[in-house]
Amino acid sequence: QVQLVESGGGVVQPGRSLRLSCAASGFTFTNYAMHWVRQAPGKGLEWVALIWNDGSNKYYGDSVKGRFTISRDNSKHTVYLQMNSLKAEDTAVYYCARDPPRSRTSYYYFMDVWGEGTTVSVSS
Amino acid sequence: QSALTQPRSVSGSPGQSVTISCTGTNSDVGDYNYVSWYQQHPGKAPRLIIYDVSKRPSGVPDRFSGSKSGNTASLTISGLQADDETDYYCCSYAGTNTFVFGTGTEVTVL
């Protein structure tokens, strides 16, 4: 079945780095753009990053721009989120989600399948 | 990228209808018909229930409907059921492949 499974979360000190992974299965991964979305404890959803299906373009939310990097390995059906210079306010559950293709050059711009999330806690 | 504005909470009795508003700007909601809505039960991942303002994915009951006027999108839940009691988020495309979510609304079934 269609599935996204995040991993790599944990407790990390401020200023340190962490890399999250999201393994996809059950669908043609190379057709889909992929998002990372996070949710701080007791707070709402926040869009973090988007990567196109071929990895050629990447986009970020303002709060993570310059610190986080999204990437993907289509041979491994996996998308990554490299998080550097972590801050306490990055503490959240991080979800990956897929975005279906609308045409050869654009996407639907919604998230139709989500993983269960991985928890990141930034604390000294 | 300021969050879209949603009411903190709405409530209704079983069988009634509730409407959740989602107010953005003419750079997001008002400029694109790429508004989606998500239902999220506590401790669970969000679930897509509306996309492209008013379209429902397969498997989503037609009790859920969406619309948009100007800079405000809306989600209406008709025939309210106990299982509808949870959190709802809107999301809009904001140009240049960026996105913004709403502040979230808690629906209570009285």
Side-chain angles (χ1 to χ4, degrees):
Chain A
Q1 73 279 24
V2 175
Q3 195 172 18
L4 297 171
V5 179
E6 302 94 337
S7 60
V11 180
V12 61
Q13 293 180 327
R16 303 298 289 262
S17 299
L18 203 61
R19 189 179 83 156
L20 307 182
S21 300
C22 168
S25 60
F27 64 98
T28 306
F29 181 69
T30 52
N31 287 348
Y32 290 78
M34 297 296 295
H35 298 267
W36 284 98
V37 175
R38 69 184 182 183
Q39 186 169 35
K43 303 297 185 181
L45 301 172
E46 179 186 11
W47 177 75
V48 173
L50 166 70
I51 186 167
W52 283 15
N53 67 310
D54 60 0
S56 61
N57 289 286
K58 307 170 186 181
Y59 304 90
Y60 301 92
D62 288 343
S63 62
V64 306
K65 202 174 296 183
R67 300 188 300 123
F68 289 13
T69 302
I70 190 171
S71 63
R72 64 191 294 161
D73 184 337
N74 282 348
S75 68
K76 296 181 178 179
H77 293 187
T78 300
V79 61
Y80 303 98
L81 186 68
Q82 177 67 42
M83 304 185 295
N84 297 333
S85 303
L86 281 162
K87 307 175 182 180
E89 50 264 43
D90 295 319
T91 294
V93 175
Y94 285 75
Y95 297 99
C96 65
R98 75 174 194 181
D99 191 331
R102 190 183 295 265
S103 69
R104 285 179 58 215
T105 57
S106 69
Y107 302 95
Y108 266 98
Y109 296 144
F110 58 70
M111 300 108 187
D112 69 336
V113 175
W114 297 64
E116 290 301 310
T118 188
T119 301
V120 173
S121 179
V122 183
S123 172
S124 55
Chain B
Q1 291 179 344
S2 297
L4 308 175
T5 301
Q6 298 181 229
R8 198 171 191 86
S9 63
V10 299
S11 61
S13 299
Q16 290 187 331
S17 295
V18 295
T19 296
I20 302 169
S21 61
C22 168
T23 301
T25 70
N26 53 18
S27 296
D28 39 61
V29 175
D31 203 20
Y32 303 98
N33 288 323
Y34 298 139
V35 176
S36 51
W37 289 88
Y38 302 86
Q39 178 191 61
Q40 186 183 32
H41 287 283
K44 299 294 187 181
R47 170 198 177 200
L48 176 70
I49 55 173
I50 294 288
Y51 68 94
D52 288 359
V53 174
S54 60
K55 298 177 182 177
R56 276 177 291 105
S58 60
V60 175
D62 59 6
R63 302 186 296 104
F64 294 90
S65 62
S67 63
K68 191 186 87 166
S69 177
N71 294 341
T72 299
S74 298
L75 172 71
T76 297
I77 308 173
S78 306
L80 204 59
Q81 299 180 359
D83 190 53
D84 299 332
E85 182 167 291
T86 192
D87 296 328
Y88 295 82
Y89 294 90
C90 60
C91 180
S92 176
Y93 181 70
T96 325
N97 287 276
T98 64
F99 298 79
V100 59
F101 278 93
T103 50
T105 298
E106 180 181 21
V107 170
T108 300
V109 181
L110 301 171

